[in-house]
Amino acid sequence: MTRGTGTVAALASTARHQILIYATAWKFTVVFGVVQPAVLLLVNLNSTTDPVSAARVVSGIVLMALWTNTVWRGAIILQLERIEGVLAPGLFGLRSALVVLIGKSLGSSLLSAASVLATVGATLAVLRQPVDLGPPVWVVAGLVVVLLSGTAVGVLLSCVFLVSRHGSQISGALMYPVFLLSGLLIPLSLFPRPVRLLSWLISFRWAMEFFVSCAQGDPDLRYFGLTLLLSAGYALAGYRVFGYVSRRARVNGTLDLE
């Protein structure tokens, strides 16, 4: 088996393992993957008649649900391993700990996307309100980039939360500011200009704009590119932070594994 094939196999194996772990935590999946998007759709689509506005609402709700799952599930992977006592063996094992973490974050993102998209599709069918999101090829491409972005953020935040004893507080602090700054809840035009500038650093803001442009029948690849570029930046930051965390564990011996 070549190195590349071995890496792909490791990613697939750890992603599948993480999906099985989180699938058993059905209460979390039901609340954030089913109840939250369904309720938000029921509340917001009743007053929406314009097709483009409906597409914006659906896109925003999907992205909100995916971000919620990323913060509360993807970001605590290493924390859970520390609590269960398997973090140290993972960091010092033969298989790359970073590859394992990426695979687990990817599995978390895949499970979240599957539950959210299934719920949104079923809710729209029950409401008998079809929503045209635009060319399927570009919509799928946008969802793939969002999935990769969520995976990268999960890796980054998981490392950050590992060196902090206040992971849950950090999660809560990140939740709604991202909802607001990415324009998923409230149009960015209602915010002061300095606040709007912060939204440039949030990939979901550009993903939202890309999906809206698709619904308008003219996919804007600038937004697609910005989403991809920021996601790559998150991945690089995650790589750097994980390197710091692993060196701290291996060399300094100061990482809290209790």
Side-chain angles (χ1 to χ4, degrees):
M1 180 181 292
T2 64
R3 182 175 180 180
T5 304
T7 299
V8 172
L11 287 172
S13 175
T14 51
R16 181 172 63 253
H17 178 69
Q18 197 66 25
I19 288 173
L20 292 175
I21 290 176
Y22 280 154
T24 59
W26 60 269
K27 292 181 180 180
F28 187 99
T29 300
V30 168
V31 172
F32 293 110
V34 178
V35 175
Q36 184 192 60
V39 170
L40 289 174
L41 281 173
L42 291 171
V43 171
N44 289 280
L45 278 181
N46 285 335
S47 58
T48 303
T49 56
D50 177 63
V52 175
S53 297
R56 176 179 286 274
V57 169
V58 171
S59 299
I61 290 172
V62 168
L63 292 173
M64 285 172 59
L66 292 178
W67 174 247
T68 301
N69 279 272
T70 296
V71 167
W72 288 111
R73 183 152 54 188
I76 62 173
I77 291 173
L78 293 183
Q79 278 191 329
L80 291 177
E81 291 189 351
R82 181 176 64 184
I83 293 172
E84 294 168 356
V86 298
L87 176 59
L91 288 176
F92 293 93
L94 295 177
R95 181 177 294 175
S96 170
L98 179 58
V99 170
V100 171
L101 178 58
I102 292 173
K104 290 183 176 182
S105 183
L106 177 60
S108 174
S109 297
L110 284 170
L111 180 61
S112 300
S115 61
V116 171
L117 293 176
T119 299
V120 169
T123 304
L124 292 176
V126 170
L127 294 176
R128 296 182 180 180
Q129 185 167 355
V131 175
D132 185 7
L133 294 176
V137 173
W138 286 114
V139 173
V140 171
L143 287 173
V144 169
V145 173
V146 167
L147 180 68
L148 295 177
S149 185
T151 299
V153 172
V155 170
L156 174 60
L157 293 183
S158 191
C159 295
V160 173
F161 289 5
L162 183 63
V163 295
S164 171
R165 296 179 180 274
H166 307 288
S168 59
Q169 290 83 356
I170 295 175
S171 298
L174 287 173
M175 181 79 67
Y176 293 102
V178 171
F179 285 172
L180 296 173
L181 291 175
S182 55
L184 303 181
L185 278 177
I186 302 174
L188 289 173
S189 58
L190 299 179
F191 290 94
R193 180 176 175 80
V195 175
R196 292 202 303 270
L197 291 176
L198 295 175
S199 69
W200 281 66
L201 301 176
I202 302 175
S203 63
F204 279 21
R205 179 256 172 103
W206 303 112
M208 176 79 165
E209 296 295 344
F210 175 70
F211 288 132
V212 172
S213 71
C214 288
Q216 293 171 335
D218 185 21
D220 195 325
L221 297 185
R222 294 176 300 172
Y223 298 142
F224 183 86
L226 285 169
T227 306
L228 191 60
L229 182 63
L230 284 171
S231 301
Y234 300 157
L236 178 60
Y239 171 78
R240 296 291 189 184
V241 174
F242 183 83
Y244 165 75
V245 169
S246 59
R247 285 194 301 273
R248 184 179 179 185
R250 294 173 185 271
V251 179
N252 300 328
T254 56
L255 182 62
D256 179 18
L257 298 176
E258 297 299 328

